[in-house]
Amino acid sequence: MALKPQAPRQQKHLAVLIDADNAPASILEGLFEEIAKYGVASVKRIYGDWTGPQLGSWKKVLLDHSIQPIQQFAYTKGKNATDSALIIDAMDLLYTRRFDGFCLVSSDSDFTRLAARLREEGLSVYGFGEEKTPKPFVVACDKFIYTEILREGAAEPTAGGNDKAQPEPADAPPRAAKPKAQKVPVELIAKLIDDLSDDDGWIQLGVLGQNITKLRPEFDARLYGFRKLSDLIKGQSKRFELQSRGGSASGGESLYVRNRKGGK
């Protein structure tokens, strides 16, 4: 009896691998909210030496998020056996052919070649690390999210104008520092619009965003103080013009952007 072809999966199945030695536990809530934008976290593993006290903040939150801790002893001082264990597991998971992508959570450049290897197999690689992450690892990923922005909202005033600081439990993990807004790369955006736009100078906002990410995997509107790309474009109204168009097959509207004539 011939097997029926399987229907295409609606969401990407992702393997989330966390280097506990190079990622703070304080990002966890924001981390999985971010991952949910890209697919389903089918596998969630975290690697480290759980016999010591240095990973205490991680131990308190693993159960709440159903993350499987993988024990890796530090056999030799100064050598990171955790990295090797994570890489070996990633390759094992790769060859199961069950995943559409990987989320690598670390600020360690040792995973640069792993990210490149996974992409060579046609899988999507999403990197998560601090702004100190070496550039080679950042550009080896399809998309790289700086973990500082994942906790940005935690420091915002509460609704109703009550911005009085609330005391935190003594055993709460330390807050990640709120990142300073960076300068918007308007020249890069303007050049891409020129290169990719139609005869009237317009380009669909989603297409623009995809091409920015191809050139700069770490690009994220939140790094520049905006919630999303459309807000960033609106904030640069002297340089860019935004237009909403309806009449799509799905009934929704699409946003288009072009360089404003004479804008500087």
Side-chain angles (χ1 to χ4, degrees):
M1 181 178 177
L3 295 176
K4 295 182 178 179
Q6 294 183 344
R9 291 190 289 205
Q10 297 299 313
Q11 288 187 302
K12 287 185 176 181
H13 285 240
L14 305 174
V16 181
L17 307 180
I18 305 171
D19 176 9
D21 296 327
N22 284 286
S26 56
I27 68 169
L28 202 55
E29 288 288 345
L31 175 67
F32 282 104
E33 289 177 5
E34 189 73 19
I35 290 173
K37 298 177 182 178
Y38 307 108
V40 178
S42 301
V43 166
K44 294 181 282 187
R45 298 179 186 177
I46 185 167
Y47 300 78
D49 185 355
W50 303 98
T51 61
Q54 67 276 9
L55 300 182
S57 58
W58 275 112
K59 294 177 184 178
K60 297 170 185 175
V61 294
L62 296 185
L63 188 61
D64 292 339
H65 294 272
S66 189
I67 306 174
Q68 180 185 5
I70 306 297
Q71 170 63 30
Q72 184 59 51
F73 293 100
Y75 298 114
T76 305
K77 188 175 181 180
K79 300 293 184 181
N80 197 340
T82 298
D83 292 0
S84 299
L86 190 155
I87 292 170
I88 291 170
D89 270 13
M91 297 308 294
D92 286 344
L93 292 171
L94 166 66
Y95 290 125
T96 66
R97 307 297 179 189
R98 294 187 292 114
F99 299 95
D100 303 297
F102 281 74
C103 298
L104 304 179
V105 186
S106 178
S107 301
D108 193 339
S109 63
D110 288 350
F111 299 110
T112 301
R113 180 62 189 129
L114 173 62
R117 181 68 183 88
L118 295 171
R119 291 182 68 188
E120 287 171 3
E121 291 293 322
L123 301 184
S124 298
V125 177
Y126 305 97
F128 296 82
E130 297 177 347
E131 290 190 51
K132 67 180 182 181
T133 304
K135 193 70 171 181
F137 180 33
V138 173
V139 299
C141 301
D142 291 286
K143 174 71 178 175
F144 198 92
I145 298 92
Y146 289 127
T147 53
E148 286 88 349
I149 65 176
L150 300 182
R151 286 196 54 93
E152 184 174 356
E156 295 296 323
T158 56
N162 181 16
D163 57 357
K164 183 178 179 181
Q166 299 296 320
E168 292 189 348
D171 59 350
R175 287 185 182 274
K178 183 176 178 179
K180 295 181 180 179
Q182 300 180 13
K183 184 178 179 181
V184 177
V186 290
E187 298 304 328
L188 171 67
I189 296 173
K191 185 178 185 305
L192 282 172
I193 293 174
D194 279 338
D195 292 343
L196 302 171
S197 60
D198 59 22
D199 292 340
D200 293 324
W202 293 100
I203 180 175
Q204 191 173 21
L205 187 66
V207 175
L208 175 64
Q210 292 169 10
N211 280 275
I212 296 174
T213 302
K214 288 178 183 177
L215 292 177
R216 294 191 182 180
E218 75 278 17
F219 178 86
D220 194 303
R222 291 169 292 183
L223 289 173
Y224 311 102
F226 298 94
R227 191 167 63 90
K228 52 188 178 180
L229 180 57
S230 60
D231 295 331
L232 184 151
I233 296 296
K234 291 176 183 177
Q236 303 295 318
S237 58
K238 292 183 178 180
R239 290 296 304 270
F240 308 115
E241 189 176 350
L242 196 64
Q243 183 183 89
S244 178
R245 300 181 185 178
S248 64
S250 60
E253 293 186 340
S254 296
L255 292 176
Y256 285 77
V257 60
R258 71 176 177 183
N259 291 321
R260 190 176 291 278
K261 295 179 181 179
K264 291 183 179 180

